[in-house]
Amino acid sequence: MSLRIAISEGDGIGQEVIPEAKKILEYFLPDADFFEVELGLGKWEKTGCACSSEDIRDLKESDAILFGAVTTPPDPDYKSVLLQIRHELDLYANLRPIKSYGVDMMIVRENTEGLYSGIEEIGEERSTTLRVVTKAGSKRIAEKACSLVLERNPGRPLVIGYKGNVLKSDLLFRDTCMEVAGSYGIKTKSVFIDALCLDVLQHPKNYDVIVTTNMFGDILSDVCGYLTGGLGMLPSANIGENHAFFEPVHGSAPDIACRGIANPVAAIRSAGMMLEYFGMRSEGNILEEAIQSVIRSGVCTPDLGGSASTNGFGSRVFEVISKR
Ligand code: NAD
Ligand code: IPM
Ligand code: MN
Protein backbone atom coordinates (compact mmCIF):
# COMPACT_ATOMS: atom_id res chain seq x y z
CA MET A 1 0.00 0.00 0.00
CA SER A 2 1.31 3.43 -0.83
CA LEU A 3 2.05 5.96 1.88
CA ARG A 4 -0.71 8.44 2.67
CA ILE A 5 0.64 11.89 3.43
CA ALA A 6 -1.54 14.69 4.73
CA ILE A 7 -0.54 18.21 3.77
CA SER A 8 -1.84 21.19 5.70
CA GLU A 9 -0.45 24.58 4.71
CA GLY A 10 -2.40 26.52 7.36
CA ASP A 11 -2.22 30.32 7.45
CA GLY A 12 0.20 33.07 6.50
CA ILE A 13 3.61 31.91 5.29
CA GLY A 14 2.54 28.29 5.81
CA GLN A 15 0.88 28.66 2.41
CA GLU A 16 4.16 29.85 0.88
CA VAL A 17 6.71 27.49 2.41
CA ILE A 18 4.77 24.21 2.33
CA PRO A 19 4.44 24.03 -1.48
CA GLU A 20 8.27 24.13 -1.68
CA ALA A 21 8.55 21.26 0.81
CA LYS A 22 5.74 19.29 -0.80
CA LYS A 23 7.46 19.37 -4.21
CA ILE A 24 10.46 17.69 -2.63
CA LEU A 25 8.38 15.02 -0.90
CA GLU A 26 6.63 14.28 -4.20
CA TYR A 27 10.03 13.85 -5.83
CA PHE A 28 11.37 11.43 -3.21
CA LEU A 29 8.04 9.64 -2.68
CA PRO A 30 6.61 9.36 -6.20
CA ASP A 31 4.16 6.61 -5.21
CA ALA A 32 2.76 8.34 -2.14
CA ASP A 33 -0.79 9.54 -1.99
CA PHE A 34 -0.88 13.22 -0.93
CA PHE A 35 -4.08 14.79 0.37
CA GLU A 36 -4.90 18.24 1.73
CA VAL A 37 -6.39 18.97 5.13
CA GLU A 38 -7.43 22.58 5.59
CA LEU A 39 -6.82 23.90 9.11
CA GLY A 40 -6.41 27.23 10.85
CA LEU A 41 -7.74 30.74 11.19
CA GLY A 42 -8.59 31.08 7.48
CA LYS A 43 -10.77 28.00 7.74
CA TRP A 44 -12.34 29.30 10.97
CA GLU A 45 -13.22 32.59 9.26
CA LYS A 46 -14.93 30.70 6.42
CA THR A 47 -16.62 27.92 8.37
CA GLY A 48 -16.58 28.85 12.07
CA CYS A 49 -14.30 25.88 12.81
CA ALA A 50 -10.49 25.82 12.67
CA CYS A 51 -10.13 22.04 13.02
CA SER A 52 -13.11 19.68 12.92
CA SER A 53 -13.42 16.10 14.12
CA GLU A 54 -13.35 15.03 10.43
CA ASP A 55 -10.01 16.84 10.07
CA ILE A 56 -8.66 14.95 13.08
CA ARG A 57 -9.92 11.69 11.59
CA ASP A 58 -8.22 12.50 8.26
CA LEU A 59 -4.95 13.35 10.00
CA LYS A 60 -5.14 10.11 11.98
CA GLU A 61 -5.62 8.12 8.79
CA SER A 62 -2.37 9.41 7.30
CA ASP A 63 1.07 7.82 7.61
CA ALA A 64 2.56 11.27 8.23
CA ILE A 65 1.52 14.91 8.18
CA LEU A 66 3.37 17.93 6.80
CA PHE A 67 2.05 21.11 8.38
CA GLY A 68 2.91 24.78 7.76
CA ALA A 69 1.77 27.07 10.55
CA VAL A 70 -1.47 28.52 11.81
CA THR A 71 -2.36 31.92 13.18
CA THR A 72 -3.78 31.73 16.70
CA PRO A 73 -5.44 34.94 17.89
CA PRO A 74 -4.92 35.62 21.63
CA ASP A 75 -8.65 35.19 22.27
CA PRO A 76 -9.84 33.14 25.29
CA ASP A 77 -12.53 31.46 23.16
CA TYR A 78 -10.19 30.40 20.34
CA LYS A 79 -8.52 27.07 20.97
CA SER A 80 -5.07 26.44 19.53
CA VAL A 81 -5.37 24.04 16.59
CA LEU A 82 -1.86 22.83 17.15
CA LEU A 83 -2.42 21.95 20.80
CA GLN A 84 -5.65 20.19 19.84
CA ILE A 85 -3.82 18.07 17.24
CA ARG A 86 -0.88 17.30 19.52
CA HIS A 87 -3.29 16.15 22.23
CA GLU A 88 -5.68 14.20 20.00
CA LEU A 89 -2.89 12.40 18.14
CA ASP A 90 -0.90 12.06 21.37
CA LEU A 91 2.22 13.49 19.71
CA TYR A 92 4.19 13.47 22.94
CA ALA A 93 7.70 14.04 21.61
CA ASN A 94 8.60 17.27 19.85
CA LEU A 95 12.06 16.85 18.34
CA ARG A 96 13.77 20.07 17.35
CA PRO A 97 17.24 19.68 15.84
CA ILE A 98 19.50 22.74 15.97
CA LYS A 99 22.21 22.41 13.34
CA SER A 100 24.63 24.96 12.03
CA TYR A 101 28.38 25.29 11.50
CA GLY A 102 29.83 23.16 14.30
CA VAL A 103 26.58 23.18 16.31
CA ASP A 104 24.54 19.98 16.44
CA MET A 105 22.03 19.57 19.22
CA MET A 106 18.59 18.12 19.65
CA ILE A 107 15.89 19.65 21.81
CA VAL A 108 13.48 16.99 23.03
CA ARG A 109 10.40 18.82 24.17
CA GLU A 110 7.59 17.16 26.09
CA ASN A 111 4.59 18.00 23.93
CA THR A 112 1.36 17.06 25.70
CA GLU A 113 1.55 18.31 29.30
CA GLY A 114 3.28 21.09 31.27
CA LEU A 115 1.84 24.56 30.92
CA TYR A 116 0.22 23.62 27.60
CA SER A 117 -2.11 21.09 29.19
CA GLY A 118 -5.08 23.23 28.12
CA ILE A 119 -6.55 23.08 31.64
CA GLU A 120 -7.41 26.70 32.31
CA GLU A 121 -9.90 28.85 34.19
CA ILE A 122 -10.27 32.30 32.79
CA GLY A 123 -11.85 34.96 35.01
CA GLU A 124 -12.08 38.74 35.26
CA GLU A 125 -10.06 38.90 38.48
CA ARG A 126 -8.05 35.69 38.36
CA SER A 127 -7.03 33.36 35.57
CA THR A 128 -5.15 30.14 36.04
CA THR A 129 -3.43 27.58 33.83
CA LEU A 130 -2.63 24.21 35.33
CA ARG A 131 0.92 22.98 34.82
CA VAL A 132 0.71 19.21 34.67
CA VAL A 133 3.76 16.99 35.11
CA THR A 134 3.11 13.26 35.36
CA LYS A 135 5.50 10.43 36.02
CA ALA A 136 4.24 8.56 32.95
CA GLY A 137 4.53 11.64 30.71
CA SER A 138 8.03 12.40 31.98
CA LYS A 139 9.08 8.78 31.63
CA ARG A 140 8.10 8.45 27.99
CA ILE A 141 9.79 11.70 26.93
CA ALA A 142 12.90 10.71 28.92
CA GLU A 143 12.93 7.35 27.12
CA LYS A 144 12.78 9.15 23.78
CA ALA A 145 15.59 11.52 24.80
CA CYS A 146 17.75 8.62 26.02
CA SER A 147 17.26 6.70 22.79
CA LEU A 148 18.48 9.79 20.94
CA VAL A 149 21.55 10.07 23.20
CA LEU A 150 22.40 6.44 22.44
CA GLU A 151 21.85 6.94 18.72
CA ARG A 152 23.80 10.19 18.48
CA ASN A 153 26.61 10.29 21.06
CA PRO A 154 26.35 7.75 23.88
CA GLY A 155 29.23 9.36 25.79
CA ARG A 156 27.59 12.75 26.13
CA PRO A 157 25.33 13.67 29.04
CA LEU A 158 21.61 14.19 28.70
CA VAL A 159 20.95 17.78 29.72
CA ILE A 160 17.70 18.30 31.62
CA GLY A 161 16.32 21.84 31.31
CA TYR A 162 14.08 22.54 34.32
CA LYS A 163 13.15 25.08 36.98
CA GLY A 164 12.75 22.91 40.05
CA ASN A 165 13.95 25.62 42.42
CA VAL A 166 10.66 27.45 41.87
CA LEU A 167 8.32 24.99 40.15
CA LYS A 168 8.25 21.94 42.36
CA SER A 169 6.36 20.04 39.64
CA ASP A 170 9.66 20.10 37.76
CA LEU A 171 11.33 17.97 40.44
CA LEU A 172 9.18 15.05 39.31
CA PHE A 173 10.25 15.76 35.74
CA ARG A 174 13.95 15.97 36.63
CA ASP A 175 13.97 12.95 38.91
CA THR A 176 12.13 10.81 36.37
CA CYS A 177 14.55 11.83 33.63
CA MET A 178 17.50 11.01 35.89
CA GLU A 179 16.02 7.64 36.79
CA VAL A 180 15.41 6.69 33.15
CA ALA A 181 18.85 7.92 32.08
CA GLY A 182 20.43 5.95 34.94
CA SER A 183 18.78 2.77 33.72
CA TYR A 184 20.52 3.26 30.35
CA GLY A 185 23.85 4.19 31.92
CA ILE A 186 23.53 7.74 30.56
CA LYS A 187 24.91 10.62 32.61
CA THR A 188 22.70 13.64 33.18
CA LYS A 189 23.26 17.30 33.84
CA SER A 190 20.36 19.31 35.26
CA VAL A 191 20.41 23.02 34.38
CA PHE A 192 17.93 25.74 35.30
CA ILE A 193 16.17 26.73 32.12
CA ASP A 194 16.85 30.47 32.36
CA ALA A 195 20.60 29.93 32.72
CA LEU A 196 20.42 27.28 30.01
CA CYS A 197 18.91 29.76 27.51
CA LEU A 198 22.02 31.90 27.78
CA ASP A 199 24.55 29.09 28.03
CA VAL A 200 23.35 27.34 24.85
CA LEU A 201 24.08 30.58 23.00
CA GLN A 202 27.46 31.11 24.64
CA HIS A 203 28.66 27.50 24.53
CA PRO A 204 26.51 25.67 21.97
CA LYS A 205 29.12 22.97 21.38
CA ASN A 206 28.72 21.80 24.96
CA TYR A 207 25.25 20.52 24.17
CA ASP A 208 23.96 17.44 22.47
CA VAL A 209 20.51 16.23 23.64
CA ILE A 210 18.44 18.52 25.85
CA VAL A 211 15.18 17.26 27.34
CA THR A 212 12.70 19.70 28.81
CA THR A 213 9.05 20.41 29.53
CA ASN A 214 6.57 21.85 27.07
CA MET A 215 6.80 25.62 27.39
CA PHE A 216 10.51 25.65 28.20
CA GLY A 217 11.13 23.64 25.04
CA ASP A 218 9.02 26.06 23.04
CA ILE A 219 11.04 29.04 24.24
CA LEU A 220 14.42 27.31 24.14
CA SER A 221 13.93 26.30 20.51
CA ASP A 222 13.20 29.86 19.38
CA VAL A 223 16.23 31.02 21.41
CA CYS A 224 18.38 28.47 19.56
CA GLY A 225 17.14 29.93 16.29
CA TYR A 226 19.81 32.54 16.94
CA LEU A 227 22.49 29.90 16.38
CA THR A 228 21.23 28.89 12.97
CA GLY A 229 20.32 32.13 11.22
CA GLY A 230 16.80 32.49 12.55
CA LEU A 231 13.44 30.82 12.75
CA GLY A 232 13.32 30.25 9.03
CA MET A 233 15.91 27.48 9.49
CA LEU A 234 14.42 25.27 12.22
CA PRO A 235 12.39 22.12 11.48
CA SER A 236 10.60 19.85 13.90
CA ALA A 237 8.96 16.48 14.25
CA ASN A 238 6.05 15.73 16.58
CA ILE A 239 6.09 12.01 17.22
CA GLY A 240 3.66 9.74 19.06
CA GLU A 241 3.13 6.00 19.25
CA ASN A 242 0.83 6.00 16.22
CA HIS A 243 1.21 9.29 14.40
CA ALA A 244 3.89 11.65 13.11
CA PHE A 245 3.53 15.33 12.30
CA PHE A 246 6.28 17.47 10.75
CA GLU A 247 6.32 21.27 10.87
CA PRO A 248 8.67 24.23 10.98
CA VAL A 249 9.30 25.66 14.46
CA HIS A 250 8.19 29.08 13.22
CA GLY A 251 4.66 30.43 13.06
CA SER A 252 2.56 32.03 10.33
CA ALA A 253 4.68 35.23 10.34
CA PRO A 254 1.90 37.69 9.42
CA ASP A 255 4.51 40.47 9.26
CA ILE A 256 6.03 39.00 6.08
CA ALA A 257 3.15 36.91 4.70
CA CYS A 258 1.95 37.31 1.08
CA ARG A 259 5.28 38.78 -0.06
CA GLY A 260 6.97 35.60 -1.25
CA ILE A 261 10.03 36.23 0.93
CA ALA A 262 9.61 33.63 3.70
CA ASN A 263 12.52 31.26 4.14
CA PRO A 264 11.33 27.73 3.20
CA VAL A 265 14.34 25.93 4.74
CA ALA A 266 12.50 25.06 7.99
CA ALA A 267 9.63 23.56 6.01
CA ILE A 268 11.93 21.71 3.61
CA ARG A 269 13.98 20.35 6.52
CA SER A 270 10.73 19.22 8.17
CA ALA A 271 10.03 17.25 4.99
CA GLY A 272 13.57 15.85 5.38
CA MET A 273 12.72 14.73 8.92
CA MET A 274 9.69 12.95 7.47
CA LEU A 275 11.92 11.10 4.99
CA GLU A 276 14.16 10.01 7.88
CA TYR A 277 11.10 8.87 9.81
CA PHE A 278 10.27 6.66 6.83
CA GLY A 279 13.81 5.23 7.05
CA MET A 280 15.03 7.24 4.03
CA ARG A 281 18.16 8.53 5.72
CA SER A 282 20.27 8.86 2.58
CA GLU A 283 17.52 10.88 0.86
CA GLY A 284 17.40 13.07 3.97
CA ASN A 285 21.16 13.62 3.68
CA ILE A 286 20.90 14.43 -0.03
CA LEU A 287 18.24 17.01 0.79
CA GLU A 288 20.30 18.58 3.58
CA GLU A 289 23.37 18.77 1.34
CA ALA A 290 21.30 20.40 -1.40
CA ILE A 291 19.98 23.05 1.01
CA GLN A 292 23.49 23.83 2.22
CA SER A 293 24.97 23.97 -1.25
CA VAL A 294 22.29 26.40 -2.45
CA ILE A 295 22.90 28.67 0.55
CA ARG A 296 26.68 28.43 0.03
CA SER A 297 26.19 29.51 -3.58
CA GLY A 298 24.73 32.78 -2.25
CA VAL A 299 21.10 32.01 -3.03
CA CYS A 300 19.01 32.67 0.08
CA THR A 301 15.98 34.60 1.30
CA PRO A 302 16.22 38.10 2.88
CA ASP A 303 16.22 36.82 6.49
CA LEU A 304 19.64 35.29 5.67
CA GLY A 305 20.77 38.43 3.88
CA GLY A 306 19.92 37.35 0.33
CA SER A 307 17.37 38.40 -2.22
CA ALA A 308 15.89 35.07 -3.33
CA SER A 309 12.15 34.53 -3.13
CA THR A 310 10.59 31.58 -1.31
CA ASN A 311 9.91 29.91 -4.62
CA GLY A 312 13.29 30.93 -6.06
CA PHE A 313 15.11 29.22 -3.22
CA GLY A 314 12.86 26.15 -3.23
CA SER A 315 13.28 25.75 -6.97
CA ARG A 316 17.07 25.88 -6.69
CA VAL A 317 17.04 23.13 -4.06
CA PHE A 318 14.70 21.07 -6.24
CA GLU A 319 16.98 21.58 -9.24
CA VAL A 320 20.08 20.46 -7.31
CA ILE A 321 18.30 17.30 -6.19
CA SER A 322 16.67 16.40 -9.45
CA LYS A 323 19.77 17.04 -11.58
CA ARG A 324 21.97 14.80 -9.46
P1 NAD B 1 6.53 33.69 14.01
O1 NAD B 1 7.39 32.50 14.17
O2 NAD B 1 5.41 33.58 13.07
O3 NAD B 1 7.43 34.94 13.59
C1 NAD B 1 8.45 35.49 14.44
C2 NAD B 1 9.42 36.33 13.59
O4 NAD B 1 10.22 35.45 12.79
C3 NAD B 1 8.70 37.26 12.62
O5 NAD B 1 9.39 38.47 12.52
C4 NAD B 1 8.76 36.51 11.30
O6 NAD B 1 8.74 37.34 10.17
C5 NAD B 1 10.07 35.75 11.41
N1 NAD B 1 9.98 34.47 10.67
C6 NAD B 1 9.31 33.36 11.07
N2 NAD B 1 9.42 32.41 10.15
C7 NAD B 1 10.14 32.92 9.14
C8 NAD B 1 10.58 32.40 7.88
N3 NAD B 1 10.27 31.16 7.48
N4 NAD B 1 11.30 33.21 7.08
C9 NAD B 1 11.64 34.45 7.46
N5 NAD B 1 11.26 34.99 8.64
C10 NAD B 1 10.51 34.23 9.47
O7 NAD B 1 5.99 34.05 15.47
P2 NAD B 1 4.95 35.18 15.93
O8 NAD B 1 5.09 36.39 15.09
O9 NAD B 1 5.13 35.27 17.38
O10 NAD B 1 3.53 34.52 15.69
C11 NAD B 1 2.73 34.76 14.53
C12 NAD B 1 1.53 33.84 14.56
O11 NAD B 1 1.97 32.50 14.39
C13 NAD B 1 0.74 33.87 15.87
O12 NAD B 1 -0.63 33.81 15.55
C14 NAD B 1 1.19 32.62 16.60
O13 NAD B 1 0.20 32.12 17.46
C15 NAD B 1 1.42 31.69 15.44
N6 NAD B 1 2.39 30.61 15.68
C16 NAD B 1 2.10 29.42 15.08
C17 NAD B 1 2.99 28.40 15.16
C18 NAD B 1 2.67 27.13 14.45
O14 NAD B 1 1.61 27.03 13.84
N7 NAD B 1 3.53 26.15 14.49
C19 NAD B 1 4.23 28.58 15.80
C20 NAD B 1 4.50 29.81 16.38
C21 NAD B 1 3.58 30.83 16.30
C1 IPM C 1 5.55 26.11 18.34
C2 IPM C 1 4.47 27.11 18.61
C3 IPM C 1 3.31 26.41 19.26
C4 IPM C 1 3.84 25.80 20.52
C5 IPM C 1 2.07 27.23 19.57
C6 IPM C 1 1.60 28.00 18.41
C7 IPM C 1 0.99 26.35 20.11
O1 IPM C 1 4.93 28.18 19.35
O2 IPM C 1 5.28 25.10 17.69
O3 IPM C 1 6.68 26.34 18.78
O4 IPM C 1 3.95 26.45 21.53
O5 IPM C 1 4.23 24.68 20.47
MN1 MN D 1 7.07 28.21 19.46
Side-chain angles (χ1 to χ4, degrees), residues 15-94:
Q15 299 180 0
E16 300 164 45
V17 296
I18 290 301
E20 302 310 318
K22 184 181 175 219
K23 262 191 318 215
I24 284 161
L25 284 181
E26 285 169 334
Y27 175 81
F28 282 119
L29 298 167
D31 298 326
D33 178 12
F34 291 86
F35 65 100
E36 305 275 333
V37 180
E38 192 185 353
L39 300 166
L41 184 63
K43 176 174 173 142
W44 181 82
E45 285 164 351
K46 278 192 285 182
T47 67
C49 175
C51 176
S52 66
S53 48
E54 291 77 34
D55 296 329
I56 294 289
R57 183 204 56 209
D58 290 349
L59 295 176
K60 283 185 175 171
E61 282 175 1
S62 70
D63 292 296
I65 302 148
L66 179 68
F67 174 88
V70 289
T71 300
T72 309
D75 170 338
D77 297 323
Y78 189 96
K79 288 239 173 314
S80 160
V81 168
L82 210 44
L83 291 197
Q84 183 189 348
I85 294 170
R86 289 175 185 162
H87 282 133
E88 298 219 26
L89 276 62
D90 199 23
L91 301 166
Y92 68 91
N94 192 333

Side-chain angles (χ1 to χ4, degrees), residues 266-291:
I268 295 173
R269 282 183 165 158
S270 300
M273 290 184 84
M274 186 191 291
L275 295 175
E276 287 190 24
Y277 170 77
F278 288 140
M280 300 169 69
R281 188 163 280 210
S282 63
E283 287 83 351
N285 289 339
I286 290 168
L287 179 53
E288 182 56 32
E289 275 165 28
I291 291 169

